[in-house]
C-alpha cells in the first residue's frame, strides 16, 4: 500500500527530527542510518526512500536543529520583560539543562568540529543557520542594524558556544557549573 504525499512528508520530517537529536547526542560519525531510523521508529531500509545520502540527512537535520535553537533563544528573549532581551538568550543557553541535554540543544556546540569538516551542503546549511542566529541576536541589540550589533552578536554567540562546550568537557560538575555561571555573568554584566 502506497503512502500519500502527506504521509511521506510527515515520515521524512520525523526522520529529520530524530536525526537532529541523534547527531547532536552521539555525533554525526557515530550515528549510523539504523540508529537514526530507529530513533524515528522506522527500519533502516526505508532511509533511501527519503534521502539520497546520509549527507543530505545531515544537512537537513542541521538546519532543523539550528531552527530549533533559534526558536528556543527567541522565546527566552521574548520573556525578559524590562531586562535586555539578550540576557534571556544568554541565561537559557548557558544553563545546566542545556548542558545536560545535548540531543535537544545547540548543534554548533554539539557538532561544531564535525560540521566544519562536513560536505559542502552540510557546511552551507550550518553557515546559513549561523548567519540566521547572528541576525536574530543582532536584532535584539540596543542599536539593531548597526555594525556594532552584528559584531556583538558574533562575540556573544561565540562565547556562549565555547563556554557550553567547555562545560561539557570538564568532569568536575562544580567546575562545569562555574564555567556556565562565569560566562553568564560576563555576558550579562559586561565583564
Amino acid at each position: 500500500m502506497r503512502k500519500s504525499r502527506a504521509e511521506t512528508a510527515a515520515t521524512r520530517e520525523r526522520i529529520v527530527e530524530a536525526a537532529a537529536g541523534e547527531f547532536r547526542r552521539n555525533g554525526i560519525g557515530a550515528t549510523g542510518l539504523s540508529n537514526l531510523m530507529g530513533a524515528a521508529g522506522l527500519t533502516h531500509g526505508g532511509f533511501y526512500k527519503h534521502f539520497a545520502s546520509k549527507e543530505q540527512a545531515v544537512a537537513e537535520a542541521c538546519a532543523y536543529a539550528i531552527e530549533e535553537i533559534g526558536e528556543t533563544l527567541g522565546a527566552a528573549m521574548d520573556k525578559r520583560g524590562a531586562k535586555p532581551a539578550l540576557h534571556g538568550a544568554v541565561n537559557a543557553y548557558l544553563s545546566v539543562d542545556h548542558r545536560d541535554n545535548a540531543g535537544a540543544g545547540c548543534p554548533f556546540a554539539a557538532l561544531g568540529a564535525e560540521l566544519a569538516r562536513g560536505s559542502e551542503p552540510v557546511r552551507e546549511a550550518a553557515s546559513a543557520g549561523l548567519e540566521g542566529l547572528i541576525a536574530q541576536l543582532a536584532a535584539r541589540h540596543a542599536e539593531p542594524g548597526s555594525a556594532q550589533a552584528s559584531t556583538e552578536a558574533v562575540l556573544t554567540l561565540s562565547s556562549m558556544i565555547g563556554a557550553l562546550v567547555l562545560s561539557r568537557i570538564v568532569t568536575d560538575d562544580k567546575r562545569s557549573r562555574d564555567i556556565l555561571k562565569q560566562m553568564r555573568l560576563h555576558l550579562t554584566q559586561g565583564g
Side-chain angles (χ1 to χ4, degrees), residues 2 15 27 30 33 38 57 66 77 82-83 85 90 111 116 124 130 135 146 167 187 189:
R2 297 188 81 166
I15 295 167
L33 298 183
I66 294 167
M77 288 188 284
K83 291 193 178 210
V90 168
L111 301 169
E124 286 174 3
L130 181 62
S146 70
S167 76
L187 293 174
Q189 297 178 5

Side-chain angles (χ1 to χ4, degrees), residues 28-108:
I28 295 166
T31 301
L33 298 183
S34 60
N35 301 109
L36 70 91
M37 292 298 282
L42 302 165
T43 62
H44 71 277
F47 178 84
Y48 290 104
K49 292 177 186 166
H50 298 279
F51 303 96
S53 66
K54 182 179 177 182
E55 289 301 309
Q56 182 185 16
V58 171
E60 290 185 32
C62 178
Y64 175 89
I66 294 167
E67 183 178 324
E68 192 175 52
I69 194 68
E71 289 171 1
T72 298
L73 295 179
M77 288 188 284
D78 290 343
K79 285 184 179 178
R80 294 307 297 170
K83 291 193 178 210
L86 196 56
H87 290 189
V90 168
N91 290 325
Y93 192 97
L94 295 173
S95 68
V96 172
D97 285 342
H98 188 200
R99 178 199 68 186
D100 293 347
N101 195 5
C106 178
F108 297 112

